[in-house]
Amino acid sequence: MRALNIITLLLVIVGGLNWGLVGLFQFDLVAAIFGGQDSVLSRIIYVLVGISALWQLIPLFRSFSDGETTAQRVRR
């Protein structure tokens, strides 16, 4: 489960960086690497990023119910 969280978090970061590039420079890095927005590989990446964002909602809501996030928790 931890590996899946790390992979999905990395994909969400990639998606966020890609959207930043689109917003600032009108440059879609995923499309540039994988052959355009309509290519099968680009669409797969877009879908994986979207699924990863949905998956990352689980730890987000779990942190609300715990009262704090794991990164902020003091380990003794």
Side-chain angles (χ1 to χ4, degrees):
M1 189 76 125
R2 179 184 156 117
L4 184 59
N5 281 336
I6 291 171
I7 291 167
T8 58
L9 184 58
L10 287 173
L11 283 169
V12 169
I13 291 168
V14 166
L17 292 173
N18 192 55
W19 273 110
L21 288 172
V22 170
L24 290 172
F25 306 112
Q26 296 180 353
F27 178 71
D28 188 342
L29 182 62
V30 172
I33 291 172
F34 295 108
Q37 287 183 335
D38 295 329
S39 76
V40 173
L41 287 175
S42 291
R43 294 187 64 175
I44 290 171
I45 299 298
Y46 297 140
V47 169
L48 288 175
V49 168
I51 292 170
S52 295
L54 291 174
W55 181 263
Q56 285 298 315
L57 288 174
I58 296 169
L60 174 67
F61 289 125
R62 196 173 287 155
S63 71
F64 291 141
S65 67
D66 291 345
E68 62 184 342
T69 61
T70 304
Q72 294 173 342
R73 199 172 287 156
V74 176
R75 304 210 186 248
R76 296 177 189 176

